[in-house]
Amino acid sequence: MSTTLNHSAPAAARPPAGRYRSTKVRRQRVRAAWTFLAPMLVALALVAGWPLIRTFYFSFTDASLSDLGRATFIGIENYLIYEDGRWYGVLADPIWWRSVWNTAYFAVVSVSLEVVFGVIVALILNAEFKGRTLVRAAVLIPWAIPTIVSAQMWAWMLNDQFGIINHLLMMVGIIDAPIAWTAEARYSMWAVIMVDVWKTTPFVALLVLAALQMLPKDCYEAAEVDGIHPLRVFFKVTLPLITPALMVAVIFRLLDALRVFDVIYVLTSNSTSTMSMSIYARQQLVEFQDVGYGSAASTLLFLIIALATVAYLYLGRKQLQLGGDA
């Protein structure tokens, strides 16, 4: 009797055959996934991980671009240090904090405008009209042009001496004298934002258009039969359904905007009124040849972007969960 019980107990504790096979298949899929991802992870570690680690290391040294081999460890002095009654370091530099504000302002305003204009353009391109294919191709042209090329093109157009923008505005009587759009502090940031919005709105429109074309048609037909206003249909039906695509567009654009360099540098160079965190780090690294100080600024830039990304993804996931519960 006892022998029978001893043999039956392990069999009862054994998982069902279907669950065992499912668990085994899942483990095989995980191993296959890691096998295929391993080469990419190794390449990513070499291309991105090693320079990132070197940047962290140099931020705690007094490394100079002229002689990196003689770098010595100085702790957090590049970040912040109190000496002779004053604070020194990146975190005590008012120009750094100005660049942080410029970058945040540029990111929030430009990404917001790109989302609004991108949705509007996507809704127009999603409608049925003659020549829609040609218009879709034309809308993508600004995004296809390299950023350096488009920024230089706009720099010529915004020039206060021979730029066509001033010429057109004076022709219609909006302004009386040429404006130095990229030189005057009160106009330069808005000029940079305008160029960036013109360049990257097609990217947002493309993602939103792809989401719009995946939406079911029956709910719109029912709304049309019921006589519901199109604006209400957009905010109650369309916008919630395209929110995941909008989140992808915003996170990609937010990452680009926070590390913006090329469009600002081409249009306004090292101007304090538009200096971004990337331009500040580049100035310290290249022009002042202070690798330690520039690496500290680059490290802070990396941390700010990482925190902003994590916060946005967390809030976006919470919003989607709340929407799903509702």
Side-chain angles (χ1 to χ4, degrees):
M1 187 70 177
S2 62
T3 305
T4 305
L5 291 175
N6 289 337
H7 281 290
S8 61
R14 203 175 293 160
R19 182 190 294 181
Y20 177 76
R21 285 195 297 269
S22 176
T23 305
K24 184 178 180 181
V25 170
R26 187 181 297 112
R27 287 199 300 266
Q28 290 176 348
R29 288 179 177 178
V30 170
R31 284 197 297 268
W34 279 110
T35 301
F36 286 113
L37 285 174
M40 184 273 295
L41 294 176
V42 172
L44 188 63
L46 294 175
V47 174
W50 175 243
L52 189 62
I53 294 173
R54 290 277 289 178
T55 302
F56 288 161
Y57 167 73
F58 281 134
S59 69
F60 296 103
T61 68
D62 61 352
S64 174
L65 191 62
S66 59
D67 192 359
L68 293 176
R70 293 188 178 182
T72 57
F73 184 79
I74 60 174
I76 63 170
E77 291 185 12
N78 287 321
Y79 294 94
L80 192 65
I81 184 175
Y82 187 76
E83 194 174 70
D84 298 331
R86 292 187 60 185
W87 290 98
Y88 298 94
V90 177
L91 295 176
D93 189 353
I95 299 180
W96 161 256
W97 289 111
R98 178 63 184 270
S99 69
V100 172
W101 164 252
N102 289 339
T103 306
Y105 183 82
F106 170 84
V108 171
V109 176
S110 63
V111 173
S112 299
L113 292 175
E114 287 158 12
V115 168
V116 173
F117 292 143
V119 171
I120 294 174
V121 172
L123 291 172
I124 295 174
L125 296 180
N126 192 49
E128 296 286 347
F129 60 90
K130 194 174 182 179
R132 183 176 64 171
T133 304
L134 184 62
V135 175
R136 286 180 178 179
V139 166
L140 293 177
I141 291 177
W143 185 46
I145 299 175
T147 305
I148 295 294
V149 176
S150 62
Q152 188 60 60
M153 177 183 68
W154 277 98
W156 291 333
M157 291 167 56
L158 293 170
N159 187 275
D160 58 329
Q161 298 297 324
F162 53 81
I164 192 173
I165 301 297
N166 279 323
H167 178 69
L168 293 176
L169 293 178
M170 291 175 66
M171 279 182 58
V172 298
I174 296 178
I175 59 176
D176 298 326
I179 297 176
W181 297 101
T182 59
E184 295 187 25
R186 56 179 175 170
Y187 300 122
S188 56
M189 178 57 77
W190 283 104
V192 169
I193 291 174
M194 178 190 67
V195 174
D196 186 73
V197 170
W198 174 85
K199 169 82 171 88
T200 53
T201 293
F203 171 75
V204 180
L206 183 65
L207 293 181
V208 176
L209 179 61
L212 288 173
Q213 294 188 335
M214 298 295 292
L215 299 183
K217 304 295 184 183
D218 51 354
C219 56
Y220 292 99
E221 294 173 356
E224 186 177 356
V225 171
D226 294 338
I228 302 176
H229 196 277
L231 281 179
R232 188 176 179 186
V233 174
F234 172 76
F235 286 106
K236 294 295 184 180
V237 178
T238 305
L239 189 58
L241 291 176
I242 66 173
T243 296
L246 275 177
M247 286 185 60
V248 174
V250 170
I251 193 62
F252 274 98
R253 283 301 308 129
L254 187 63
L255 290 175
D256 280 340
L258 288 176
R259 59 183 178 84
V260 61
F261 172 82
D262 40 14
V263 63
I264 294 180
Y265 189 76
V266 171
L267 289 172
T268 62
S269 190
N270 290 326
S271 174
T272 308
S273 60
T274 56
M275 179 179 288
S276 66
M277 292 184 285
S278 296
I279 294 177
Y280 178 90
R282 182 259 175 200
Q283 186 181 53
Q284 304 299 324
L285 283 166
V286 178
E287 296 186 11
F288 301 156
Q289 298 194 0
D290 193 340
V291 175
Y293 201 89
S295 297
S298 301
T299 302
L300 291 175
L301 170 60
F302 169 78
L303 293 177
I304 291 173
I305 293 177
L307 289 175
T309 304
V310 171
Y312 177 79
L313 292 177
Y314 175 79
L315 294 176
R317 183 176 299 176
K318 284 292 184 182
Q319 183 179 1
L320 289 178
Q321 290 176 354
L322 293 175
D325 295 339

